[in-house]
Structure formats: structure tokens, C-alpha cells
């Protein structure tokens, strides 16, 4: 009898996420990252990639979402609809499909990395403004 495998698909939304996951290949030699070029995606493309992953039989799909681009409408409401669409697991036993989609939201994660680099802190940041204020005390930083 064949052994069941758990499979996971990680969908990174932009270039920063792509380079982070690509760096994991140095540690996990059998890891393959696709696509092999970074680009920002929109909500429609993300939805299509999730649907494609479900159809391919992945058990878990992890979506790494850069919240910097979700601050304003219409992106914010489109993203909320996408999250609601995949809030419950996709369970189609007749087709042999069971998939859980999870969203991991990053907001100014690069800035937080820089802050950790320049000084030790365990302070939680509820807003990006307070994070940027602390970061600018250590180094002049502008997001461009």
C-alpha cells in the first residue's frame, strides 16, 4: 500500500518574500522554489495560485502576505474577501482533495529585521509608526 504524503505550497507575495524562501535552499538542499523569479502579485493572481495548488493536491497552502500593499482600498477589501473564501478547509472527498489555506501577514517585516540588527528589543509593535520611530533612532531609514 502506498504511503500518504503531506505536501505544502508556500505562496510569497513579493520579491522580499521570494528571496527569503530562496535562502532556505542553502539549508534544505532538496527544496525547490517555484516560480524562480520574484514579482508582486495582485489578489486575483493570488486566488488563482491558491486554486491551482488545491487542484494539484496540496494539503496545506501557506500564503505570505505583505500588508504594506493592503493599507488602502480596493486591495484591503479584496484581500478580506480572499481570506474569507479560504477560511474553512477545502474538503472534496470524492475528488480526493483536502486542503487547508493559511494566511501569514507581514507588516514592515524588513524594517523589524533592521531594528533587530541594530539593537536588542522584545517590544511588540502594534503599528508601523512606532516601529519606524524606534528604527530611526538607530539608523536613518526610508522605505523606497
Amino acid at each position: 500500500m502506498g504511503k500518504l504524503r503531506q505536501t505544502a505550497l508556500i505562496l510569497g507575495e513579493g520579491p522580499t518574500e521570494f528571496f527569503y524562501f530562496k535562502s532556505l535552499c542553502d539549508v534544505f538542499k532538496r527544496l525547490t522554489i517555484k516560480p524562480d523569479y520574484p514579482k508582486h502579485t495582485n489578489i486575483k493572481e493570488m486566488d488563482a495560485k491558491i486554486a491551482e495548488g488545491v487542484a494539484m493536491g496540496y494539503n496545506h497552502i501557506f500564503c505570505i502576505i505583505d500588508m504594506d500593499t493592503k493599507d488602502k482600498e480596493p486591495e484591503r477589501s479584496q484581500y478580506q474577501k480572499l481570506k474569507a473564501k479560504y477560511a474553512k478547509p477545502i474538503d472534496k472527498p470524492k475528488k480526493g482533495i483536502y486542503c487547508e489555506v493559511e494566511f501569514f501577514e507581514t507588516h514592515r517585516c524588513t524594517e523589524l529585521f533592521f531594528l533587530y540588527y541594530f539593537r536588542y528589543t522584545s517590544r511588540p509593535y502594534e503599528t508601523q509608526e512606532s516601529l519606524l520611530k524606534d528604527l530611526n533612532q538607530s539608523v536613518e531609514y526610508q522605505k523606497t
Side-chain angles (χ1 to χ4, degrees), residues 45-139:
E45 290 171 339
M46 181 66 72
D47 191 11
K49 287 180 183 180
I50 293 170
E52 182 180 328
V54 170
M56 291 174 67
Y58 285 98
N59 304 102
H60 303 280
I61 297 177
F62 303 109
C63 302
I64 314 302
I65 305 295
D66 185 357
M67 294 303 288
D68 289 356
T69 62
K70 310 296 179 284
D71 286 342
K72 298 179 178 123
E73 293 297 337
E75 283 280 319
R76 182 184 311 164
S77 59
Q78 291 171 350
Y79 173 62
Q80 292 302 325
K81 286 179 187 175
L82 181 69
K83 276 179 56 175
K85 179 179 179 179
Y86 293 107
K88 294 182 180 177
I90 299 157
D91 191 9
K92 299 178 181 178
K94 291 182 179 179
K95 293 185 177 182
I97 293 175
Y98 182 85
C99 181
E100 294 179 22
V101 179
E102 293 185 59
F103 293 85
F104 295 90
E105 299 170 349
T106 62
H107 200 105
R108 300 280 180 175
C109 63
T110 305
E111 291 82 350
L112 187 58
F113 168 79
F114 286 133
L115 181 63
Y116 289 156
Y117 180 81
F118 287 105
R119 74 174 186 198
Y120 173 79
T121 183
S122 59
R123 177 182 172 192
Y125 291 95
E126 296 295 323
T127 66
Q128 62 185 344
E129 289 78 20
S130 58
L131 169 62
L132 291 174
K133 181 181 176 192
D134 284 358
L135 178 59
N136 277 299
Q137 290 175 353
S138 299
V139 64

